Amino acid sequence: MVMQETRPREEIADILLTDPENIFVPGLSFRKDDDEPEFELICCELPSRPNVKRSEPLSHLEWNSHIDIDGRITNVDGLKEKIFKGGVCPAIRNEVWKFLLGYFDYNSTSKERTELRKKKLDDYFRMKLQWKSLSQDQESSFSTFRDYKSLVEKDTDRTDRTYPFYQGDDNPNISVLYDVLMTYCMFNFDLGYVQGMSDLLAVILVVMENEVDAFWCFVGLMERVKHNFDLDQEGMKNQLKKLSTLLHFSDNQLFTYLGG
């Protein structure tokens, strides 16, 4: 099965979009082996690495400069580049991540986002009620749901309790984590829950500090990375294949050592 590429074209290295037989690699050359003339040595000399320094994170003032009078986000490409190079100031992550994770559209107005959030609030609690209201008899005849529930319980119990937000045996944030993951199973029952999703949501919940906002940000994130959780692991295999291609041309010695 061929995986559909979900990343924008401009974010993908050219080498990953080129037929392997037609790849041109700067610095790649061939020369005869003095010891064994019948063989050619493949040499690849990459240019020196640029000196890249991390920029300052996006500040509250800079973020506000990208918001127009109606609340729309302007110069989105410039904003993303700034975030890519320096990240986001912790104080405004709660707001900025909603756009980065697809909860809010960059072109939406403040009024539209307020209305959207009301709708998303209703949608979330309606889905939550669906699984909360299942009786024991219903669960006993719903094996897939029971499997999801068991996995979620195990993973949320394993949440890193050394982090203050999740410390303590009876921490209510663990319960919120559990509820969001179970509700996601109702939202996307085909995918349901796969081990590792809890770790992704745990970070989002820390930033959002709100059950509903965390859920919809998680939905947006999963839309991007859901192929990593497919049962056939095709998404992971595809990414590992791309990593292998990049490693082959950037560090052939390591590539060969790893069994290329």
Side-chain angles (χ1 to χ4, degrees):
M1 181 179 68
V2 178
M3 294 299 302
Q4 182 179 2
E5 185 56 65
T6 58
R7 298 192 68 84
R9 167 63 181 82
E10 63 272 13
E11 294 182 8
I12 306 174
D14 292 336
I15 195 173
L16 298 179
L17 297 172
T18 307
D19 187 322
E21 295 184 359
N22 298 320
I23 289 177
F24 170 72
V25 182
L28 186 67
S29 61
F30 302 86
R31 64 179 176 82
K32 292 292 184 180
D33 187 343
D34 294 335
D35 297 327
E36 300 181 77
E38 66 273 20
F39 293 103
E40 283 187 323
L41 293 178
I42 302 176
C43 306
C44 184
E45 296 183 6
L46 296 176
S48 58
R49 295 180 180 178
N51 183 21
V52 179
K53 293 184 178 179
R54 185 171 175 81
S55 304
E56 291 295 318
L58 179 74
S59 68
H60 193 278
L61 184 63
E62 290 172 309
W63 170 243
N64 285 338
S65 71
H66 283 272
I67 304 175
D68 70 14
I69 191 172
D70 294 317
R72 295 184 179 89
I73 308 303
T74 62
N75 189 16
V76 174
D77 289 340
L79 177 66
K80 288 182 177 180
E81 183 177 359
K82 169 67 179 178
I83 294 172
F84 176 77
K85 292 180 177 179
V88 180
C89 175
I92 57 172
R93 285 177 185 167
N94 179 284
E95 184 177 357
V96 178
W97 279 26
K98 292 184 178 75
F99 292 90
L100 294 177
L101 295 175
Y103 181 12
F104 292 152
D105 188 278
Y106 291 102
N107 199 41
S108 62
T109 64
S110 299
K111 182 179 179 181
E112 289 170 340
R113 292 194 291 273
T114 299
E115 294 173 351
L116 175 67
R117 193 174 184 282
K118 289 180 181 178
K119 180 180 181 302
K120 293 291 189 181
L121 188 75
D122 292 339
D123 290 345
Y124 174 78
F125 283 109
R126 186 184 68 254
M127 289 185 288
K128 182 176 180 178
L129 182 62
Q130 288 176 343
W131 67 267
K132 283 276 192 180
S133 59
L134 288 177
S135 67
Q136 289 186 345
D137 287 341
Q138 288 175 309
E139 280 194 37
S140 66
S141 303
F142 201 168
S143 60
T144 305
F145 177 81
R146 292 199 311 272
D147 291 342
Y148 289 158
K149 185 177 181 180
S150 176
L151 287 172
V152 171
E153 287 174 347
K154 290 176 182 177
D155 266 16
T156 51
D157 283 344
R158 297 187 188 113
T159 303
D160 184 4
R161 303 305 179 92
T162 63
Y163 195 80
F165 191 80
Y166 295 111
Q167 279 181 353
D169 294 334
D170 298 317
N171 191 314
N173 293 322
I174 298 294
S175 298
V176 175
L177 195 68
Y178 173 84
D179 286 355
V180 171
L181 291 171
M182 288 302 301
T183 305
Y184 182 78
C185 291
M186 303 307 296
F187 174 82
N188 187 351
F189 206 83
D190 286 341
L191 180 59
Y193 182 80
V194 181
Q195 190 173 24
M197 289 182 181
S198 178
D199 293 329
L200 300 179
L201 175 61
V203 178
I204 295 174
L205 185 57
V206 168
V207 172
M208 293 298 133
E209 296 185 312
N210 178 278
E211 182 175 348
V212 177
D213 291 340
F215 173 81
W216 290 111
C217 286
F218 180 69
V219 167
L221 176 62
M222 288 306 303
E223 186 61 28
R224 299 182 187 184
V225 303
K226 60 186 178 183
H227 292 307
N228 292 346
F229 296 93
D230 285 341
L231 187 62
D232 60 8
Q233 297 186 324
E234 195 63 32
M236 292 296 293
K237 292 175 183 176
N238 188 44
Q239 291 194 48
L240 289 172
K241 182 179 179 181
K242 291 180 177 180
L243 177 61
S244 176
T245 300
L246 292 172
L247 187 61
H248 177 51
F249 289 101
S250 63
D251 194 335
N252 189 257
Q253 185 177 0
L254 177 59
F255 175 82
T256 302
Y257 174 78
L258 293 175

